[in-house]
Amino acid sequence: MYYLGVDLGGTNIACAVVTKEGDLLGKSSIPTSLPDAPEAIAGRIDQCCRLAVEATGCSMDDIASVGIGTPGIANSEQGIVEYSCNLGFRNTPLSHMVQVLLQKPVYLENDANAAALGEFVAGSGRGKRSLVAITLGTGVGGGVVMNNRLITGFNYAGAEIGHFVMVHGGEPCGCGRRGCFESYCSATALIRQTRRAMEAHPESLMWRDYPTLESVNGRTAFDAMRLGDPAAKAVVDQFCEYLACGLTSIINIFQPEVLCVGGGICNEGETLLAPVREIFDREDYARDSLHRCSIVRATLGNDAGIIGAALLPLYR
């Protein structure tokens, strides 16, 4: 038997047929078409799932269940999206809606948690018992797997890793607090830090390839640093220090076997992770232990959420 995984996003719905080992067999994607009503979105999930099954060459009889990763607070016990600002959902019984259409058991989870589970089963955590996954994107998302089980909190809003405070009274965060990890280590934060450095250093090489502040992205400082630009190096060094501070704090709380970091910034590879590990090696509470967490790059990319969602029934 196979499992269907659904990654429900604000722009697209992606589905795939997945084996119990986490291998992805066939995939499909269609537009989400927001701001459609929840019933219409459920219908598009049904359509996307059937396209994935067709692409795999199997039939719905070969599918054991369906798992959905969704933005927002996902009540996994009742199959309800309690709140998702991205989708416009509030107390939406999404599992039941899709189950009626597909006639299969349907499981629901927050998309970041599903992605963490995918990395745990089939990616950088394969063969381990614990993993923390961090994604550096527009915000900072993440998920925690301990002893082969997702940690989601009693109210399904746990593992919001981007929203512990690193700097009291620091940069404002979209969650309403100040100084959150997300406010210093997201791609959005890196772009803000880069723009400030460019304004302070009109001589910087960062202006050469990115002549306007609007053109700045997560690569800008890294690109100029490789050309020997001191202002860009200062941005990268500071960002790595912030990231190492946050990751070390997370590891000190959970001490997982693996912490994997994903998102577009991680395309910098060891340029980003090597200095982070150097700081971590000095500051990890368990630095003298025989068993220490490994900080690695996530390996599954956008497929992590689909794989994790598909395999939810195996890791409840």
Side-chain angles (χ1 to χ4, degrees), residues 20-179:
K20 67 179 181 179
E21 293 80 20
D23 297 319
L24 195 150
L25 301 181
K27 193 173 178 180
S28 65
S29 177
I30 63 174
T32 310
S33 296
L34 292 176
D36 275 358
E39 293 79 6
I41 301 303
R44 297 186 73 74
I45 292 173
D46 170 59
Q47 177 188 357
C48 194
C49 284
R50 294 182 187 278
L51 288 172
V53 170
E54 182 179 337
T56 307
C58 62
S59 74
M60 289 301 296
D61 292 337
D62 299 313
I63 302 300
S65 61
V66 180
I68 302 172
T70 176
I73 300 174
N75 183 326
S76 56
E77 291 186 21
Q78 298 183 23
I80 294 171
V81 182
E82 294 186 354
Y83 177 67
S84 175
C85 59
N86 292 348
L87 301 174
F89 287 1
R90 188 179 292 274
N91 295 321
T92 300
L94 187 62
S95 288
H96 176 72
M97 291 177 174
V98 176
Q99 184 169 325
V100 168
L101 295 170
L102 286 172
Q103 293 297 298
K104 297 289 179 182
V106 177
Y107 298 85
L108 189 69
E109 187 54 78
N110 168 267
D111 53 0
N113 291 337
L117 183 60
E119 283 288 342
F120 174 73
V121 175
S124 54
R126 187 190 288 267
K128 307 297 184 183
R129 290 181 57 83
S130 58
L131 168 141
V132 174
I134 307 287
T135 301
L136 309 178
T138 303
V140 173
V144 179
V145 182
M146 302 297 288
N147 296 321
N148 298 318
R149 292 291 182 269
L150 279 167
I151 294 178
T152 59
F154 82 100
N155 59 354
Y156 319 105
E160 283 292 342
I161 288 170
H163 299 291
F164 73 90
V165 170
M166 290 208 322
V167 181
H168 179 65
E171 296 280 0
C173 182
C175 75
R177 305 183 78 190
R178 300 186 73 93

Side-chain angles (χ1 to χ4, degrees), residues 267-288:
N267 290 331
E268 297 296 335
E270 289 302 299
T271 304
L272 176 72
L273 292 183
V276 167
R277 291 194 200 97
E278 183 177 344
I279 297 170
F280 169 67
D281 285 341
R282 296 197 306 265
E283 300 187 359
D284 176 23
Y285 183 79
R287 57 188 174 273
D288 295 323

